[in-house]
Amino acid sequence: MKYSIITLFPDIIHMYCSASIIGRARSNGIISIEPVNPRDFTYDVHRSVDDTPYGGGSGMVLMCEPIFSAVESIKKETKSILIMTTPQGKPLNQNIVKELTAYNQLIILCGHYEGFDERIRTGLKPMEISVGDFVMTGGELAALCIIDSTARLLPGVLGKDDSAKEESFCNGLLEYPHYTRPSEYREMKVPEILLSGHHKNINNWRRTQSIIRTYDRRPDLIKQANLTDQEKKLLDEYILSKVKE
């Protein structure tokens, strides 16, 4: 996977993508990171990429020419997609992350200042993605979210490729609780079933805990979960016990 990031702050991208799992994937050649700075496509002494908005108002707006030139300078791979990070975009979720891994190049356009000249949207027709209902100073953090979440699904990035299959949202539910040594800490004990060595019972416990945790914390997700009749019955029993409390 090749990531081409159009950003005014390439150091932010390089710093994050040089560490931990993403840094290792980069070193191993599984992913490549290519920051492209729109300032490199300006011609005035100040290397201006923004200007005041027509019609008045606060803030500065990213201009068309440096952005178009930056996008057009990138060598496109066989299957690439242009993404704009913006609070106006589709909320990023695991389904979108999976869809993006079908491409071999993500070109990510990071916003900054007051936003983009609307002709950037009109002319380049990017896929618009938001990482939440809030506004940040720039799109670099959103771009890193997209890089990290997609890269970890690529073969060879995680230590065990099955690890990504058990994480939150991968099966429509939140992940079950985890424990490690010691088996007791400050009078808090690891559930006995996890110490039993009975893998079928452990898997059943984990699935049940995942369902309960999703119901408690993200009831909107539980409505979409593909539960068996037995799991629905267990959930009904849990809900009834909560009501009695």
Side-chain angles (χ1 to χ4, degrees), residues 107-216:
I107 303 170
I108 307 175
L109 178 53
C110 300
H112 211 73
Y113 307 119
E114 188 62 26
F116 297 97
D117 185 303
E118 188 64 20
R119 291 166 293 186
I120 294 171
R121 284 187 170 90
T122 305
L124 295 176
K125 297 179 174 58
M127 176 184 185
E128 299 185 34
I129 290 181
S130 168
V131 294
D133 295 338
F134 51 89
V135 179
M136 296 185 292
T137 303
E140 283 74 22
L141 291 178
L144 291 172
C145 288
I146 295 169
I147 294 169
D148 195 302
S149 60
T150 53
R152 62 189 293 108
L153 296 185
L154 301 176
V157 171
L158 298 181
K160 295 181 179 179
D161 289 339
D162 285 343
S163 297
K165 297 178 182 178
E166 299 180 357
E167 296 177 328
S168 292
F169 308 112
C170 287
N171 59 5
L173 300 171
L174 299 184
E175 196 174 7
Y176 51 79
H178 290 280
Y179 297 87
T180 188
R181 295 183 178 85
S183 60
E184 182 173 351
Y185 180 71
R186 297 191 179 185
E187 300 183 358
M188 294 180 286
K189 295 182 179 180
V190 173
E192 287 293 333
I193 194 167
L194 297 179
L195 308 176
S196 68
H198 195 300
H199 295 296
K200 183 178 180 180
N201 289 347
I202 290 172
N203 288 337
N204 289 338
W205 179 87
R206 285 174 168 171
R207 174 72 177 178
T208 300
Q209 291 300 310
S210 184
I211 292 168
I212 289 171
R213 178 160 288 192
T214 304
Y215 172 79
D216 284 339

Side-chain angles (χ1 to χ4, degrees), residues 20-240:
S20 189
I21 291 171
I22 303 303
R24 186 168 64 243
R26 191 179 180 186
S27 297
N28 292 339
I30 301 172
I31 66 171
S32 64
I33 305 294
E34 176 195 27
V36 178
N37 194 333
R39 292 195 190 279
D40 294 337
F41 303 90
T42 58
Y43 306 99
D44 65 308
V45 67
H46 300 294
R47 302 178 75 198
S48 303
V49 295
D50 61 323
D51 207 337
T52 55
Y54 280 125
S58 60
M60 304 290 280
V61 177
L62 286 169
M63 298 187 295
C64 292
E65 186 172 3
I67 301 300
F68 272 79
S69 297
V71 171
E72 291 165 357
S73 75
I74 295 170
K75 181 181 179 182
K76 309 302 187 295
E77 300 295 325
T78 307
K79 196 172 182 183
S80 66
I81 184 172
L82 174 63
I83 298 167
M84 175 188 284
T85 58
T86 167
Q88 300 178 30
K90 290 181 180 179
L92 183 66
N93 58 35
Q94 196 66 19
N95 288 333
I96 292 177
V97 168
K98 289 178 183 177
E99 289 174 12
L100 293 177
T101 59
Y103 295 89
N104 52 24
Q105 182 184 27
L106 304 185
I107 303 170
I108 307 175
L109 178 53
C110 300
H112 211 73
Y113 307 119
E114 188 62 26
F116 297 97
D117 185 303
E118 188 64 20
R119 291 166 293 186
I120 294 171
R121 284 187 170 90
T122 305
L124 295 176
K125 297 179 174 58
M127 176 184 185
E128 299 185 34
I129 290 181
S130 168
V131 294
D133 295 338
F134 51 89
V135 179
M136 296 185 292
T137 303
E140 283 74 22
L141 291 178
L144 291 172
C145 288
I146 295 169
I147 294 169
D148 195 302
S149 60
T150 53
R152 62 189 293 108
L153 296 185
L154 301 176
V157 171
L158 298 181
K160 295 181 179 179
D161 289 339
D162 285 343
S163 297
K165 297 178 182 178
E166 299 180 357
E167 296 177 328
S168 292
F169 308 112
C170 287
N171 59 5
L173 300 171
L174 299 184
E175 196 174 7
Y176 51 79
H178 290 280
Y179 297 87
T180 188
R181 295 183 178 85
S183 60
E184 182 173 351
Y185 180 71
R186 297 191 179 185
E187 300 183 358
M188 294 180 286
K189 295 182 179 180
V190 173
E192 287 293 333
I193 194 167
L194 297 179
L195 308 176
S196 68
H198 195 300
H199 295 296
K200 183 178 180 180
N201 289 347
I202 290 172
N203 288 337
N204 289 338
W205 179 87
R206 285 174 168 171
R207 174 72 177 178
T208 300
Q209 291 300 310
S210 184
I211 292 168
I212 289 171
R213 178 160 288 192
T214 304
Y215 172 79
D216 284 339
R217 303 183 182 191
R218 290 291 304 274
D220 56 310
L221 294 177
I222 204 73
K223 296 174 184 177
Q224 306 168 30
N226 187 21
L227 305 183
T228 66
D229 291 339
Q230 180 63 27
E231 288 170 343
K232 290 176 182 177
K233 183 179 178 181
L234 286 171
L235 181 58
D236 288 340
E237 292 173 355
Y238 173 73
I239 294 171
L240 184 59

